[in-house]
Every structure is written in structure tokens, then in C-alpha cells.
Amino acid sequence: EFSMFRDKYVTYKITVSPPTAANIRLGRRRRAGSALKTLVADSRTAQDRFNASSAQSQKLRDDILKLESDLEEKKNSYDAVLKEEKWLKERVDLRNLQVDSLNKRLESGWEDDPNDDDNEMGKASVEANGVSNSD
């Protein structure tokens, strides 16, 4: 009679026998074939990634070289602009000094010229040219 609450005894007999040499070779070949398939797939993936990485590396290297070249060019341009700016500043300052000196001479006359009659003519010339000391 079958009951879930009664003790049951089950007995088994297991016999372990080593695999045959042919089965061992066959298993090795299957595992080797599977490993080879996995390695080939991984190799292709790694090669594709390597090629992409190499291309990106070369592109970045080219970009860096171009940027360095552009930077050097801009530094040279900046230096040239600074030199020109300094020269033009000196030139503007000199021209302002010359304008002030000429206006002063036209208004006051020359130191070595005792004749003051030309001073009136100088004032008229200054007014006609639109140049004044207040500028």
C-alpha cells in the first residue's frame, strides 16, 4: 500500500566505467572545435576594434599636428600684430605731439620770428583746417 507518510527505501546500483579512448578523443575534438570557433570570432572582433582604434588614433594624431601648426601660425600672427600695434601707437603719439607743436607754433608763432603779424594768419589757417588745440 502506498502512503506518503510511511518510510520508503529506495536502492540504486551505480556502475562507473571509464570512457573509451575513442570517446575521449571525440570529446577533445568537439571541445577543441568549439574553442576554435569562439577564438576565431573573438579574433575577428578584436581585429575590427583594433582597426577602428588605429584609425581613430591616426585621425587624432593628425588633428593634433594640425592644431599645433595652427597654434604656431596664430602665435606668429599675434606677435606681428603686437609689433605693428606698438609701432602704430608710437606713430600716433608722435603725430599727436607734432600736431600739438604745429598748433602751438601757429597760435604763438615761432621762437626765432619776432614778427607777430603772421600769428593772425596762422590762427585763421588753423580754423580753416578744422584743427584745434582742444582736440
Side-chain angles (χ1 to χ4, degrees):
E1 217 174 290
F2 178 75
S3 170
M4 292 187 61
F5 298 108
R6 288 190 193 166
D7 289 339
K8 297 173 194 72
Y9 294 102
V10 178
T11 60
Y12 292 95
K13 183 176 180 184
I14 299 175
T15 305
V16 178
S17 60
T20 64
N23 283 344
I24 291 174
R25 284 192 297 272
L26 185 62
R28 284 181 183 166
R29 291 183 84 70
R30 264 187 264 146
R31 286 190 302 276
S34 176
L36 179 62
K37 183 178 176 183
T38 302
L39 287 174
V40 167
D42 186 56
S43 176
R44 284 185 189 141
T45 302
Q47 185 66 42
D48 291 345
R49 289 179 63 191
F50 173 75
N51 291 341
S53 177
S54 294
Q56 184 178 11
S57 174
Q58 183 62 40
K59 182 184 180 307
L60 290 173
R61 191 176 311 123
D62 291 345
D63 288 349
I64 288 170
L65 290 175
K66 183 180 181 304
L67 288 171
E68 286 175 345
S69 172
D70 289 349
L71 178 63
E72 189 63 34
E73 190 176 308
K74 290 198 185 279
K75 280 182 181 179
N76 291 338
S77 296
Y78 179 67
D79 290 342
V81 167
L82 285 179
K83 282 174 72 174
E84 184 178 13
E85 183 181 21
K86 180 182 175 192
W87 178 75
L88 288 171
K89 171 88 171 102
E90 291 172 357
R91 184 174 174 187
V92 165
D93 291 344
L94 177 64
R95 293 299 181 238
N96 287 336
L97 179 65
Q98 289 172 334
V99 165
D100 290 344
S101 295
L102 285 175
N103 280 333
K104 184 177 177 184
R105 285 184 183 159
L106 288 173
E107 289 174 3
S108 304
W110 280 258
E111 294 173 5
D112 62 349
D113 188 10
N115 189 358
D116 287 340
D117 293 337
D118 290 341
N119 287 343
E120 291 300 319
M121 189 173 141
K123 287 181 185 177
S125 173
V126 167
E127 290 172 3
N129 289 331
V131 178
S132 68
N133 239 358
S134 63
D135 290 341

